[in-house]
Amino acid sequence: MIEIEGITKRYGETTVVKDVSLTIAPRTVTVIVGTSGSGKTTLLRMINRLVEPTSGTIRLDGEDNRTLPGFELRRRIGYAIQGHGLFPHRTVAQNIATVPTLLGWDRARIDAKVAELLTLFQLDPAAFGPRYPHELSGGQQQRVGVARALAAEPKVLLMDEPFGALDPIIRAKAQDDLLAIQKHFETTIVLVTHDMEEAFHLADRIAVMDKGEVVQYATPAEMLVKPATPFVESLIGAGERPFRLLAIETVADAVEPGAAEGEAISSTASQREALSALLWSGRKALPVIGPDGAVIGKVSLEGLAQRAAGPA
Ligand SMILES: Nc1ncnc2c1ncn2[C@@H]1O[C@H](COP(=O)(O)OP(=O)(O)O)[C@@H](O)[C@H]1O
Ligand SMILES: [Mg+2]
């Protein structure tokens, strides 16, 4: 658990983060969004004390983050940034091994960890471990950057626009990989982005920042139905609301009894994907298949239209 309490950061006369309080539950993904210059990076970097707050307290599992020396804190908290920040003259394996080596892990344990992470990120350890960063694609470099941040099995992973430099298809894949890895290691992730689509895809809770203040801290569904301010509403994009609502729910929650013709959709797909399939195929309903492959009902255009409607 991360408890941010009354955190303020001033540079001279300028307040860049203003009295922010947030409680972040363990094993969740919290996304901080906001326009450029709203204080997202500064807030994130106060968690691992790359930036020292002017006032306020941050506790990690009940412990004030000032009780540990900064370097120790940063060994314990993973940190991944846009453009990966890999050491160019170290191999992929050496890059990933950075923090475990500092912590004095033995060779066998380090090698096992490097192999485990590369495999999880779908990079063959034998092929990729000995390569240098410039011998990798942008997407592969990004995965190695995240693997390195996770190497010492941190409970907390801070990510600052980690996928900002990736093209849309690789980016979507990187987001899905991150969610899978977050579940695998049960990491608490705090991620900064200015991309609302990314926020809605990844977040258990979203914190919206505007001029140094958190103006809303809520689940994606709450935020869609009840944006706290006109700024939040504009950030969500009024025209996107019904589609975002459908995108954060799965077909499993929209299954109706009955049969439908044609190609089926998985109950784990998003309702937005179901809407897309309905519109594209010109059908009124799709059969839905459950986790074991059997048809469990249908999802209908009418049903989704009701679900996408805002509060009356
Ligand atoms: N070291 C610093 N000294 C002075 N001003 C800074 C410093 N770091 C950030 N700022 C200012 O604080 C504001 C918030 O910056 P930042 O947290 O990087 O915003 P974001 O990540 O949301 O784009 C900006 O106006 C920026 O210029
Ligand atoms: Mg930033």
Side-chain angles (χ1 to χ4, degrees):
M1 172 132 90
I2 306 172
E3 293 161 281
I4 300 174
E5 224 177 77
I7 279 286
T8 292
K9 179 66 185 179
R10 275 190 288 271
Y11 289 108
E13 299 289 283
T14 319
T15 304
V16 301
V17 172
K18 191 174 167 193
D19 194 20
V20 167
S21 298
L22 297 175
T23 299
I24 294 167
R27 298 177 291 280
T28 59
V29 180
T30 296
V31 176
I32 303 171
V33 293
T35 47
S36 176
S38 56
K40 306 182 295 296
T41 295
T42 305
L43 178 61
L44 191 75
R45 287 159 70 97
M46 287 193 280
I47 297 173
N48 65 358
R49 283 178 49 217
L50 279 169
V51 171
E52 296 286 351
T54 307
S55 59
T57 309
I58 297 180
R59 282 188 299 274
L60 305 162
D61 289 335
E63 259 189 294
D64 191 317
N65 73 348
R66 287 165 296 194
T67 56
L68 286 173
F71 69 88
E72 185 60 40
L73 198 63
R74 293 189 282 278
R75 280 182 193 172
R76 291 194 193 180
I77 300 177
Y79 184 54
I81 53 173
Q82 178 172 356
H84 65 76
L86 296 175
F87 303 117
H89 303 298
R90 293 193 200 162
T91 65
V92 164
Q94 287 165 343
N95 264 285
I96 296 175
T98 305
V99 176
T101 304
L102 282 171
L103 294 175
W105 291 16
D106 64 54
R107 194 71 252 160
R109 186 175 171 203
I110 293 177
D111 291 345
K113 191 72 206 179
V114 169
E116 179 198 356
L117 282 165
L118 283 173
T119 307
L120 268 173
F121 281 90
Q122 296 151 36
L123 297 167
D124 174 21
F128 286 91
R131 289 205 204 167
Y132 287 87
H134 75 268
E135 299 170 308
L136 272 56
S137 72
Q140 290 165 343
Q141 289 174 352
Q142 188 57 45
R143 276 182 272 165
V144 173
V146 179
R148 182 178 63 177
L150 288 169
E153 299 174 7
K155 282 201 213 156
V156 174
L157 175 61
L158 309 179
M159 308 183 85
D160 197 347
E161 313 230 4
F163 309 128
L166 303 180
D167 68 57
I169 290 175
I170 294 175
R171 187 176 178 132
K173 170 93 172 64
Q175 291 167 349
D176 288 338
D177 286 352
L178 181 71
L179 288 177
I181 279 157
Q182 187 258 342
K183 292 210 167 54
H184 181 89
F185 289 116
E186 301 194 321
T187 319
T188 306
I189 295 181
V190 187
L191 182 145
V192 163
T193 182
H194 59 258
D195 177 353
M196 244 7 221
E197 195 80 38
E198 180 161 283
F200 276 98
H201 183 45
L202 295 176
D204 293 302
R205 289 185 86 89
I206 300 176
V208 178
M209 290 191 77
D210 185 19
K211 302 184 196 81
E213 290 185 86
V214 170
V215 293
Q216 188 165 19
Y217 181 45
T219 66
E222 287 163 358
M223 196 167 282
L224 282 168
V225 175
K226 224 175 160 210
T229 65
F231 174 73
V232 176
E233 198 166 341
S234 72
L235 213 59
I236 293 169
E240 292 294 321
R241 284 167 65 173
F243 306 110
R244 293 207 198 281
L245 262 178
L246 295 178
I248 58 178
E249 303 274 346
T250 62
V251 170
D253 294 324
V255 178
E256 302 161 39
E261 295 293 314
E263 200 183 333
I265 190 160
S266 163
S267 62
T268 60
S270 74
Q271 293 175 14
R272 185 178 181 152
E273 290 171 282
L275 176 67
S276 174
L278 282 161
L279 294 173
W280 192 249
S281 64
R283 287 179 285 168
K284 297 241 177 321
L286 311 174
V288 177
I289 47 175
D292 58 5
V295 174
I296 57 171
K298 64 176 182 178
V299 58
S300 72
L301 199 52
E302 207 182 330
L304 291 183
Q306 276 167 23
R307 291 180 159 270

